[in-house]
Amino acid sequence: MREERKSMLIVISGPSGVGKGTIYSQLLKNDHSLTFSVSVTTRAPRLGERDGVDYFFITQEEYDRLLAQDAFLEHAAVHGNCYGTLKSQVEAKLAAGWSVVLDIDPQGARNVMNIWPDCVSIFLLPPSYEELRRRLYGRNTDNPEAIERRLSNARGEIEQASLYQYNVVNDDVERAYQRVAAIIAAEKLRTTRYKPVVE
Ligand code: ADP
Ligand code: 5GP
């Protein structure tokens, strides 16, 4: 038996602080067919963040230059900073046979769903707004003003959750991870992506 597989683009979105990074880190650790697309951002690095690993941290001028060069698959201004997915990251990784995970905001996710209809789209929801607030303050990476801006954006983002193929509530990390892993396992077996060749 021979098997032919096609890689896929997986969009993980949701409000800031819902747990996207937590869930995709577990996915990447446990499924070696997946890789992450490192985005560019004009945001300053947080303590412990590494250039080229968490993001490519760039200046506004560099960002504008990339924009003019049409280097982005999608890009968006999010909570006061600019973010973008590089075409070069996604295309090279897909061509090498990886399935590529994007952790992007809901504006970017909608753009990718439009230009890449074959992508798998997953929106993570918090169990409540109060819990989202707790997570943002508990993460201790953003100042109160930035957190409040993220929280007020969250309401509109959550209203759009039904645009995605899948909604997963991140109430418990292990349960949410298992659900996302199950979605990816099933999506890999679609006939458009998986062909068992009987010899
Ligand atoms: P995002 O990438 O969506 O901004 P993070 O993955 O950074 O969110 O998670 C935000 C904070 O919430 C982190 O401190 C993380 O440890 C915590 N967290 C994530 N998932 C859960 C959960 N299910 N229950 C409690 N805390 C969580
Ligand atoms: P943070 O500043 O907390 O790392 O990310 C803020 C938001 O920007 C998150 O919702 C994250 O998903 C989103 N984001 C990260 N990279 C990109 C990207 O390349 N494009 C878009 N549209 N959003 C991104």
Side-chain angles (χ1 to χ4, degrees):
M1 163 81 68
R2 199 160 49 79
E3 295 173 315
E4 290 170 12
R5 292 175 190 272
K6 232 178 93 190
S7 53
M8 59 187 165
L9 188 61
I10 302 162
V11 174
I12 299 186
S13 194
S16 181
V18 71
K20 300 181 294 297
T22 306
I23 302 291
Y24 85 67
S25 303
Q26 283 223 34
L27 285 170
L28 295 181
K29 206 164 67 193
N30 296 328
D31 182 343
H32 297 128
S33 72
L34 304 180
T35 189
F36 182 62
S37 164
V38 181
S39 294
V40 305
T41 182
T42 60
R43 166 169 80 59
R46 297 175 179 141
L47 200 68
E49 282 185 331
R50 288 171 297 164
D51 189 41
V53 176
D54 300 288
Y55 283 104
F56 295 107
F57 294 99
I58 61 171
T59 61
Q60 188 66 50
E61 291 68 37
E62 288 169 312
Y63 183 89
D64 292 340
R65 200 161 38 241
L66 288 169
L67 202 54
Q69 290 167 356
D70 195 26
F72 293 126
L73 179 66
E74 64 73 36
H75 60 91
V78 189
H79 318 306
N81 292 296
C82 295
Y83 296 79
T85 304
L86 291 168
K87 285 182 188 166
S88 55
Q89 279 276 308
V90 171
E91 285 166 3
K93 287 174 171 172
L94 286 173
W98 300 93
S99 283
V100 177
V101 176
L102 304 183
D103 165 357
I104 57 177
D105 92 299
Q107 308 166 69
R110 282 198 301 279
N111 289 336
V112 174
M113 288 189 267
N114 283 332
I115 59 177
W116 207 295
D118 183 42
C119 74
V120 177
S121 58
I122 304 171
F123 189 84
L124 296 182
L125 293 145
S128 68
Y129 287 106
E130 200 40 53
E131 173 61 15
L132 186 62
R133 172 184 297 273
R134 244 193 314 274
R135 287 184 195 170
L136 280 167
Y137 277 97
R139 187 168 67 180
N140 208 17
T141 49
D142 301 283
N143 61 45
E145 191 195 336
I147 290 179
E148 292 306 323
R149 176 168 355 184
R150 285 165 187 247
L151 280 168
S152 74
N153 290 340
R155 298 215 171 241
E157 294 171 347
I158 288 171
E159 277 168 16
Q160 309 252 305
S162 61
L163 295 176
Y164 296 74
Q165 291 167 323
Y166 299 97
N167 284 180
V168 173
V169 178
N170 179 19
D171 44 3
D172 170 83
V173 173
E174 183 56 26
R175 187 162 46 222
Y177 159 70
Q178 290 296 348
R179 286 185 179 165
V180 175
I183 290 165
I184 292 173
E187 287 287 343
K188 280 184 183 175
L189 294 177
R190 279 190 190 272
T191 48
T192 49
R193 302 195 181 102
Y194 173 63
K195 188 172 172 203
V197 182
V198 181
E199 293 168 321

